[in-house]
Amino acid sequence: MTLDIPVLLKLTFAGINNIPGRFSVFAGPNFSFRLGDYEASSGGFTSSQGKLFTPGYFAAGLEAGAEYAFTKADGFRLGFSVLMDFSDFSESSGVAARRLCFMPYVSYWF
């Protein structure tokens, strides 16, 4: 489980030729802290469990994306975000745990 803290700058374009909504782009650094390790199991009720990742708790990266709000005030938004880590969670162990995540979303702003 990780805690991601993005620091994003958002630029919104409004009032484009009778389009009722707003289009936005955002980007900035993302700081991730691993709060716990995932456990691997070989199956069954009496199986032994082992840690999937070795200790390492911090990663830094970049997040960017775009969003469209269907109205100029409250309402639905449709967007996507891309997160890419530049550093590994577990560099010292020799296990690469970098992430590249594509996250589409639908939200409601009120």
Side-chain angles (χ1 to χ4, degrees):
M1 178 169 52
T2 61
L3 172 66
D4 289 319
I5 302 173
V7 181
L8 302 173
L9 177 65
K10 184 175 182 179
L11 181 60
T12 301
F13 304 95
I16 303 173
N17 296 335
N18 299 324
I19 297 174
R22 296 180 311 215
F23 178 74
S24 303
V25 293
F26 53 89
N30 185 68
F31 305 101
S32 301
F33 299 91
R34 192 169 68 210
L35 304 176
D37 289 329
Y38 295 101
E39 294 189 2
S41 173
S42 59
F45 290 108
T46 60
S47 65
S48 61
Q49 293 182 341
K51 298 291 185 185
L52 190 58
F53 295 119
T54 55
Y57 61 92
F58 177 74
L62 178 66
E63 185 169 349
E67 177 180 80
Y68 180 75
F70 290 95
T71 62
K72 292 189 178 186
D74 303 341
F76 284 100
R77 294 165 188 250
L78 178 65
F80 74 93
S81 179
V82 177
L83 170 63
M84 181 173 52
D85 284 338
F86 294 133
S87 61
D88 291 340
F89 275 118
S90 53
E91 283 179 347
S92 61
S93 69
V95 176
R98 291 186 182 170
R99 296 179 298 168
L100 178 60
C101 302
F102 296 94
M103 300 168 281
Y105 63 89
V106 175
S107 64
Y108 186 81
W109 187 272
F110 54 92

